[in-house]
Amino acid sequence: MSEPSSSFECDVLIVGAGPAGADLARRLAAGGASVLLVDSLPDLRQAAFSSAALPWSTVQRHRLPPQVVAARWNRWLLLGPGADRREWVGQCSDPLGAVLDFGALRQWLAQQATAAGAQLWLGWRATVWNALQTGAITELRGAGGERRHIRSRWLVDATGQRRALLGEPAAAAGSLVCGSGVEWLLQVGEQGWGAWAERLTFLLGSDWLPQGYGWVFPMAPGQVKVGVCRLSDPDQAQPPLHGLLRTVLQRLDLADAPVLDRHGGLIRSTIARREPHQRGPLLGLGDAVSTANLLGGEGIRHALSSSEVLAPLLQDALAGRPARLRHYGPRLGQRLGWRWSLSGRLARRTWLGLDGPSADRRLRRLLTGLAADADASDLSALLFDYRFERYGLRALPYLLGWR
């Protein structure tokens, strides 16, 4: 890690060393740009809240190394509504996906960025920025109160749902839909771990978690992550998530398992994604421009997609063609696709409406239809690739609320 100087200039300042910010820093630095990547955390393994379940194609696409993969999975287990239990098993020995160690992923991506030539400053947060004729000047503040002013040709907000530099989107962009979650890492021993190994387990139904869902994901042998997440509903009181998580642990016979880590976080995204992606020299990246998908609380894959889309356009801008950046928002929308948008609308309908027996009955009918002829790879295509059209005749009435 580089030591910050009293004054610093660079081509691109990226605020936020999450997956999107670190990946963009690597891509730009590898192309010859001078890049400064900063993050408020002193250690990128801290605050590692992310369910971090991905399809195996994403691991391969981004060439993620074994040290960031905590576990592989090849089956789905859905518990609920009520006492229902449904399991889909992969048809071959190859994994369908992975559960990542999110802290290890962030650290590895940052190491890749610095190896490509980017500078990394940890423990620094951006407090204010102003546009200049030739770019931007940004004030950074360290943990001890130190201040640095950074001049850059371009400034990137990669601070996730906080949108530390972009600020809240205007009303015309569509309201922010907010979800909150808590997750505990438990030590269950290798015998207890076997019940959860090689599968993604989801807890569905209002008796498990009103207006949300829960999950159990395998990590290293003998360890599992158990979490709960729900959408915020300002129209009704919602019980504290930690109490709901404790109830989940009791129902799963995990209440006595030692807790290795506790963490939580927010996910906030507009459904239509009409917010501006650029404000002068400032560009938004990843969750800061609502790439997170609320259906399964996904952020990593789509954040990396935003980096892939922005990097070549920003390289063109650094080469004297700033007009190329006007393609950023439309191209990112094309990359995410119409299915991504549909899944966001489905998330709002499903989770906010999952608050009683009638909603459970609708969900049960949909799951019964999917269980009739789908295998584990089909379910992955539905939940990760949003291939709703495969189940159009069964899913459309549910999406429209007809049953």
Side-chain angles (χ1 to χ4, degrees), residues 120-131:
L120 174 64
W121 295 1
L122 296 179
W124 291 83
R125 60 185 178 89
T127 57
V128 66
W129 74 280
N130 289 287

Side-chain angles (χ1 to χ4, degrees), residues 306-382:
S306 71
S307 171
E308 286 184 303
V309 171
L310 179 57
L313 299 174
L314 191 47
Q315 287 169 336
D316 287 344
L318 290 170
R321 299 187 295 277
R324 294 279 292 160
L325 287 168
R326 71 173 182 269
H327 300 296
Y328 174 37
R331 288 190 180 180
L332 182 54
Q334 292 171 0
R335 172 67 68 86
L336 296 175
W338 66 267
R339 295 183 184 89
W340 181 97
S341 179
L342 176 59
S343 68
R345 296 196 296 273
L346 174 59
R348 182 165 53 186
R349 164 174 162 69
T350 298
W351 304 132
L352 286 180
L354 193 60
D355 57 359
S358 62
D360 289 345
R361 286 192 292 270
R362 290 197 304 270
L363 181 58
R364 180 176 287 113
R365 292 189 191 104
L366 175 66
L367 295 176
T368 300
L370 296 180
D373 58 4
D375 63 20
S377 60
D378 292 327
L379 201 62
S380 292
L382 174 65

Side-chain angles (χ1 to χ4, degrees), residues 102-149:
F102 187 60
L105 173 68
R106 287 196 301 195
Q107 189 172 61
W108 177 77
L109 286 170
Q111 289 170 346
Q112 293 295 299
T114 57
Q119 295 203 46
L120 174 64
W121 295 1
L122 296 179
W124 291 83
R125 60 185 178 89
T127 57
V128 66
W129 74 280
N130 289 287
L132 303 173
Q133 286 187 340
T134 57
I137 184 166
T138 306
E139 180 184 89
L140 302 181
R141 184 169 297 184
E146 312 95 320
R147 297 185 181 184
R148 299 288 185 269
H149 290 87

Side-chain angles (χ1 to χ4, degrees), residues 17 27 112 158 236:
R27 292 174 183 273
Q112 293 295 299
Q236 62 177 294

